[in-house]
Amino acid sequence: MPDCTVVVITYNDARRLPRAVRSVLGQTLRDLEVIISDDASTDDTPRVAAELAASDPRVRYLRREHNSGGCGAPRNDGLDAAAAPYVMFLDSDDELPRHACKSLLAEIERTGAEFVSGQISRLYEWNGRLHPYYPSLFARRRVVGGIREEPALFLDSFSTNKLYDVRFLRETGVRFPEEIHYEDHVFAAGLYAHARRFAIVPWVVYHWHRERGGSSISLSIKDMENVRHRVIAARRSDDVLRRHGLAGLVPDRQYRFLRQDLRVYLNPLPRRDLVWAKEFAAVVRPYLEEIPAEVYERVDPMVKVCCRLIMDDRAEDLRLAAGCLTGPRAAPRAAVQLGGRTYWGTTVSPGLDITRLRLAELPFSAARLRHEVTELTRDGDRVRMTVHTYDPFGALPVGWEAFLRLGRRRVPIHPRPSGDGGYVTEVAFAPEGACEPRIGFTRLSDRLTTTDRLIVDPAMRPIELPGGTLAPEGHTACLRVRRPARRPALLGRVKRLLIRRIGTPATKLRAYKLLIKVVRPRPDLALFESDVGKGCTGSPRALYEELRRRGLPIEAVWSVARGKAPDGARRVRRGSWKYVWTLARAGWWVDSHGFPLDYPKPRGTRYLQTWHGQGIKSIGFDAPDLRTDFDGPRAQWRAAVARWDALVSPSAEFSRRFVPSNGYTGPVYRYGTPRCDALVRGELSDDPRRLLELPAGKKVLLYAPTYRDRAKGSGRSVRADLELMAEELAGDWVVILRTHPVERYRPPEHLLHFVRPAGTYPEINDLMLVSDALLTDYSSVMCDYAITGKPMLFLVDDWDEYRTTERGVYHDLPAIAPGPCVTTTEELIARLRDLDAGHAAHAGRYAAFRELWCADERGDASARIVTDFFVRSPA
């Protein structure tokens, strides 16, 4: 008896069937069987399947005499024929990851579960990317004692991402219905109704393939019969739950229908014609009318609006509202604000309430306008365009100026009132390369700008021009300019190929090493870099400003990946040939993170390393990326550190930890931190209250978490529940969210009334000075913030993991923290409501913390370091 049976269902899929079967035969679990269950294919599938069966004794081939028209019958055939105690199902156009069977088998045997479910991921064949399906469902490995414990798992109604106990299925009679599509929804309802113990694992166990132009039941959503089958499956699933005494869970399963099943048809609805929209509404309306009102309150407000419009038979408005669901989530044409509530459209109805989206409360720079292109015609190499702008939330002030943005280019426009509260614009332009055209309005009182996309008719035919092709993009049909489709001349292609070959990092490094042998560094040239070229900030910027203030005869060049250099300095793009030349010629290097590691310092050049923070986190050879046994990275970092001629040390504690952990043996400047001079003096570089639109009368919380080494770019460092904080604190507080530069996180639009994203704000000192309190976790910002003397709070819900298996630390933060350490958002909210008392209770710790990290901060670090490094030391 094999350990596991994998049933591969197929119909007229001879091309992809071998790939699916090979994914099973290549499993690390060798003792398994494959049952190819053919639903009476009429192509070459029988021959292909027979060859697969002949090539491996683990493969069996079953063939139905007549096609069943769905997936239920062939799956049942495979289940009936399964010889193993456990079974999985696989579609012939998909694949199993290599360890799927073995890992699921180990889990079901370990837990004694009746089935095990794992992460299913879409695999887009044209780019090879995997997109996990509802990853939050599978984030935690666990055993669930029945669906009542976690009704959210109704969202996982797949049959293919699970390993089942065959005896459990046969004894309970859980089978696939054979006369409808979406049979897996009904099967899943029966599965959850009977199961008393099932397991969830967080790893990917199924690759759900998607190819361009592919066809399947799940992709045939334009077919109205497809809609009918999905509604039938929903009703039958509800009935299964009721028959098994789970009527109380029917609303949870109906929530799944609204959140997932209905969205499949609503998302592309703007591209459907009015006749299709009306027929669709007629099909789903009876089922929607059975769903309790409280279920609609759980879904996205715009889904609720669409459901209300379906039930009110407002098909044209439905197509308009559906455009607010995906992608840029277009703004409505009109909205009503009444009694503190906001309603979609021009009528007040509970079903049209969109208050939770907070669209009427957004700051001006995030305000939503709707720009509909009503006319778009070609005029030679240009297009003429008429745009109707709607201002549904009254965001536009009395004084403004407007423009059409085409990439980096701005074309001034002059909207005129339309008579319906909106504006009409006529503009002609010639595209110059790929871009997403946007219309922007700049408020004259403070020069802040809001921009939004242009919406076109989804049926618009592309307009090809020399400068690019204009066409609709996405379900909402936003206007997009694609790159011109012309093929470059042979000479141009050869030129680009040569540039690409001679411009590789390896070629530039070889050229650099040759350069430093033949050219001498200039004693009057300094190269500045901050955060590997991401900006012109931090301690290098403070030293540059001091150098400029004194008028020293040194030309400054800034290495910047994007953006401009400060006034009075030249800019070179990091990694460019000019950058390589400047590295070789500069007699002074100043940076906060590290110039390219493999670039040796020219003889005669002096290198000042300012570093970019201090704190409790392990660093250098103690940090995760260097504390391994691999010699290559350690040797590379050791050679990089050896280039430093001087190091800025903010404190004695920094010198005690940082210097030995990086193997540095050169001079140390213990004068404080140049970038903190502004903090000591309370000097702002700009006006963050204006730029971030911080409301007057509200307290400001700076939330600055650090990244997690094993989850860089994931956004998982933002561990506070911002939704809950907005609900509880938005009346009194506003949050400035300063994520780490390596993070990728943007708060959802409905939180922007409470959260101001400031990950790209150039100078964090401004944010510290304008805030009333700091919320952080293990970030070095705590040491700088202590200079201000203002309250700090620490969200340390993953402290044990962070200190033992994540980054590692030098200090026990809960024992030395100069403010309350909390592990839940609820606790954080309570502490913020009693902020002064908490701050007073930690006064002793705060003083000790400042003594440890800030004793040398006197506001003159930049001046003293410039004197010692640039004036007194020989170039």
Side-chain angles (χ1 to χ4, degrees):
M1 181 187 294
D3 287 330
C4 176
T5 296
V6 180
V7 177
V8 183
I9 65 167
T10 187
Y11 174 68
N12 285 353
D13 198 15
R15 176 174 61 90
R16 295 176 295 190
L17 177 61
R19 181 184 68 188
V21 172
R22 283 195 297 269
S23 79
V24 182
L25 298 177
Q27 291 286 301
T28 48
L29 178 69
R30 307 298 298 167
D31 190 10
L32 49 72
E33 70 166 349
V34 181
I35 296 177
I36 300 174
S37 187
D38 180 6
D39 198 13
S41 295
T42 58
D43 68 347
D44 211 20
T45 294
R47 180 189 63 79
V48 172
E51 290 177 355
L52 289 167
S55 68
D56 195 306
R58 295 177 294 169
V59 180
R60 286 196 282 153
Y61 177 44
L62 304 179
R63 176 176 166 79
R64 295 181 65 83
E65 289 186 14
H66 304 286
N67 178 254
S68 69
C71 300
R75 285 192 181 128
N76 286 337
D77 291 345
L79 175 59
D80 292 340
Y86 303 105
V87 66
M88 286 190 75
F89 299 101
L90 172 65
D91 294 346
S92 60
D93 54 345
D94 298 330
E95 289 180 282
L96 296 181
R98 190 162 180 260
H99 303 292
C101 292
K102 190 171 187 177
S103 62
L104 290 175
L105 178 64
E107 193 72 3
I108 202 168
E109 290 181 338
R110 183 184 71 85
T111 61
E114 289 147 336
F115 69 89
V116 181
S117 182
Q119 178 74 67
I120 187 170
S121 286
R122 274 284 201 187
L123 195 162
Y124 296 96
E125 294 184 0
W126 56 88
N127 57 23
R129 291 179 181 170
L130 282 170
H131 183 75
Y133 176 91
Y134 288 114
S136 60
L137 295 179
F138 305 96
R140 185 169 50 87
R141 187 177 182 178
R142 62 200 186 276
V143 174
V144 182
I147 190 64
R148 289 183 191 274
E149 285 189 4
E150 292 192 45
L153 288 167
F154 279 124
L155 285 167
D156 175 20
S157 289
F158 290 99
S159 60
T160 50
N161 63 330
K162 298 173 178 66
L163 178 73
Y164 308 88
D165 184 324
V166 172
R167 185 172 64 177
F168 164 73
L169 294 181
R170 290 174 178 168
E171 288 179 353
T172 58
V174 176
R175 294 173 68 78
F176 294 92
E178 300 187 1
E179 66 281 6
I180 63 168
H181 298 158
Y182 302 107
E183 71 295 324
D184 47 350
H185 295 188
V186 185
F187 174 84
L191 186 71
Y192 287 129
H194 283 94
R196 297 295 175 265
R197 181 181 177 85
F198 58 92
I200 306 292
V201 296
W203 53 84
V204 176
V205 300
Y206 195 87
H207 287 164
W208 184 12
H209 278 253
R210 178 77 177 270
E211 64 178 13
R212 286 194 194 276
S215 62
S216 67
I217 291 173
S218 63
L219 294 176
S220 304
I221 57 175
K222 195 174 181 180
D223 182 0
M224 198 57 62
E225 202 58 26
N226 184 289
V227 183
R228 292 190 179 92
H229 276 262
R230 200 182 287 256
V231 173
I232 291 169
R235 287 187 184 280
R236 292 186 58 174
S237 299
D238 295 348
D239 290 341
V240 168
L241 296 178
R242 293 187 184 104
R243 285 199 306 270
H244 289 85
L246 298 175
L249 293 180
V250 169
D252 292 289
R253 218 221 68 83
Q254 292 171 333
Y255 169 74
R256 177 236 146 77
F257 180 84
L258 297 180
R259 180 175 174 182
Q260 175 61 33
D261 299 326
L262 190 66
R263 285 291 296 269
V264 170
Y265 306 102
L266 289 178
N267 290 348
L269 195 62
R271 291 181 172 272
R272 308 282 190 244
D273 60 36
L274 188 59
V275 173
W276 194 98
K278 288 184 75 69
E279 187 177 359
F280 165 73
V283 171
V284 301
R285 184 181 301 120
Y287 183 64
L288 295 183
E289 289 174 341
E290 298 173 11
I291 297 176
E294 59 267 22
V295 179
Y296 289 105
E297 294 306 315
R298 295 172 56 189
V299 297
D300 182 292
M302 283 312 305
V303 173
K304 180 180 71 172
V305 168
C306 289
C307 291
R308 183 69 264 162
L309 297 173
I310 288 171
M311 289 186 278
D312 290 348
D313 196 20
R314 295 166 58 182
E316 186 58 59
D317 285 341
L318 172 62
R319 294 174 68 230
L320 193 68
C324 305
L325 288 171
T326 63
R329 295 179 63 100
R333 287 176 178 170
V336 176
Q337 298 178 58
L338 183 67
R341 313 297 297 177
T342 305
Y343 301 90
W344 188 91
T346 57
T347 56
V348 174
S349 165
L352 302 178
D353 191 329
I354 58 171
T355 306
R356 278 194 290 140
L357 296 178
R358 304 292 180 181
L359 292 171
E361 304 169 49
L362 296 176
F364 179 74
S365 55
R368 299 306 309 275
L369 304 174
R370 184 182 181 94
H371 308 294
E372 290 186 12
V373 178
T374 57
E375 186 178 353
L376 189 64
T377 57
R378 180 167 183 168
D379 181 12
D381 290 346
R382 306 187 305 166
V383 290
R384 293 192 175 276
M385 184 170 69
T386 302
V387 182
H388 193 143
T389 294
Y390 299 88
D391 181 17
F393 307 107
L396 291 181
V398 174
W400 48 260
E401 60 187 25
F403 58 89
L404 171 67
R405 194 177 78 190
L406 301 164
R408 296 183 180 179
R409 188 160 55 110
R410 288 190 175 192
V411 178
I413 60 175
H414 306 285
R416 64 180 189 274
S418 61
D420 58 1
Y423 299 88
V424 174
T425 302
E426 294 177 353
V427 62
F429 67 94
E432 298 177 2
C435 69
E436 181 184 66
R438 300 174 75 103
I439 283 182
F441 284 81
T442 298
R443 191 164 60 189
L444 297 180
S445 61
D446 52 17
R447 306 304 301 175
L448 293 178
T449 294
T450 184
T451 69
D452 225 318
R453 298 165 179 83
L454 280 70
I455 302 170
V456 297
D457 183 346
M460 165 194 164
R461 292 186 175 182
I463 299 176
E464 293 188 13
L465 296 170
T469 299
L470 284 75
E473 181 177 80
H475 294 314
T476 308
C478 293
L479 183 63
R480 184 83 186 183
V481 180
R482 300 177 189 143
R483 201 175 298 279
R486 58 179 179 268
R487 185 175 176 83
L490 178 62
L491 183 61
R493 296 202 303 272
V494 171
K495 180 180 178 182
R496 273 199 295 274
L497 180 62
L498 286 173
I499 291 174
R500 199 158 43 236
R501 287 193 173 180
I502 66 173
T504 64
T507 302
K508 289 177 179 176
L509 179 59
R510 286 195 296 271
Y512 172 81
K513 289 181 177 178
L514 183 63
L515 269 175
I516 61 176
K517 292 179 180 179
V518 297
V519 300
R520 295 183 61 185
R522 285 174 45 191
D524 62 344
L525 179 64
L527 178 61
F528 288 82
E529 185 174 285
S530 180
D531 196 6
V532 292
K534 292 178 182 174
C536 303
T537 61
S539 289
R541 177 62 178 265
L543 293 170
Y544 163 76
E545 295 294 348
E546 177 64 19
L547 203 69
R548 189 169 171 233
R549 187 187 67 79
R550 293 195 190 186
L552 294 180
I554 297 175
E555 179 190 358
V557 177
W558 272 90
S559 156
V560 186
R562 292 178 183 174
K564 299 179 180 179
D567 292 341
R570 280 196 298 118
R571 170 193 178 272
V572 294
R573 182 170 55 83
R574 194 177 200 270
S576 66
W577 278 109
K578 285 185 178 180
Y579 177 74
V580 172
W581 171 254
T582 308
L583 275 171
R585 289 291 279 149
W588 310 92
W589 287 2
V590 181
D591 98 307
S592 62
H593 285 66
F595 286 109
L597 299 181
D598 292 325
Y599 279 59
K601 186 184 61 174
R603 185 178 302 173
T605 294
R606 289 185 54 76
Y607 183 176
L608 173 63
Q609 176 56 254
T610 69
W611 208 242
H612 50 275
Q614 56 177 333
I616 68 168
K617 297 187 292 187
S618 63
I619 198 71
F621 295 112
D622 297 335
D625 51 346
L626 291 177
R627 65 183 175 222
T628 60
D629 293 330
F630 298 109
D631 291 334
R634 294 172 68 87
Q636 185 186 42
W637 182 243
R638 193 173 288 110
V641 171
R643 301 177 300 178
W644 302 348
D645 293 293
L647 171 69
V648 173
S649 171
S651 65
E653 181 62 18
F654 180 89
S655 296
R656 187 171 76 89
R657 295 292 187 183
F658 183 93
V659 171
S661 66
N662 284 276
Y664 177 69
T665 57
V668 174
Y669 294 152
R670 274 273 312 281
Y671 304 141
T673 315
R675 74 159 183 269
C676 289
D677 289 348
L679 279 179
V680 176
R681 297 193 292 261
E683 295 175 353
L684 291 168
S685 67
D686 212 322
D687 182 6
R689 286 196 172 273
R690 177 184 68 85
L691 296 173
L692 298 177
E693 299 181 76
L694 302 178
K698 289 191 179 182
K699 289 174 284 188
V700 178
L701 177 67
L702 173 59
Y703 181 21
T706 192
Y707 65 92
R708 302 304 187 263
D709 288 80
R710 293 186 294 180
K712 292 179 181 178
S714 68
R716 276 187 263 167
S717 66
V718 183
R719 306 180 71 86
D721 185 342
L722 297 176
E723 300 261 1
L724 180 60
M725 290 178 68
E727 205 173 296
E728 298 290 332
L729 300 171
D732 301 311
W733 287 86
V734 63
V735 171
I736 298 176
L737 178 60
R738 174 72 171 200
T739 51
H740 193 278
V742 306
E743 271 291 26
R744 293 178 183 174
Y745 177 85
R746 182 167 181 85
E749 185 177 61
H750 68 271
L751 289 179
L752 295 182
H753 71 293
F754 174 67
V755 179
R756 301 292 191 267
T760 58
Y761 188 92
E763 188 52 72
I764 192 173
N765 281 350
D766 290 353
L767 307 182
M768 288 190 271
L769 289 171
V770 80
S771 66
D772 295 289
L774 170 72
L775 170 62
T776 186
D777 43 22
Y778 321 111
S779 171
S780 61
V781 71
M782 66 178 81
C783 300
D784 294 349
Y785 201 82
I787 296 172
T788 70
K790 291 185 283 192
M792 287 189 264
L793 302 99
F794 301 85
L795 181 58
V796 293
D797 60 309
D798 62 339
W799 168 246
D800 287 336
E801 178 186 357
Y802 190 86
R803 68 183 177 84
T804 57
T805 62
E806 172 70 31
R807 179 61 180 259
V809 297
Y810 295 125
H811 294 271
D812 182 3
L813 179 61
I816 68 167
C821 289
V822 299
T823 57
T824 67
T825 303
E826 291 81 358
E827 202 180 347
L828 169 63
I829 291 169
R831 291 288 191 172
L832 282 169
R833 285 175 171 158
D834 198 17
L835 186 64
D836 292 340
H839 186 47
H842 287 78
R845 278 195 187 184
Y846 206 120
F849 192 87
R850 290 186 68 172
E851 182 63 27
L852 183 65
W853 303 106
C854 310
D856 294 330
E857 302 292 358
R858 299 182 179 87
D860 60 354
S862 300
R864 298 176 70 182
I865 291 170
V866 164
T867 297
D868 278 11
F869 186 73
F870 287 100
V871 177
R872 292 177 180 166
S873 60

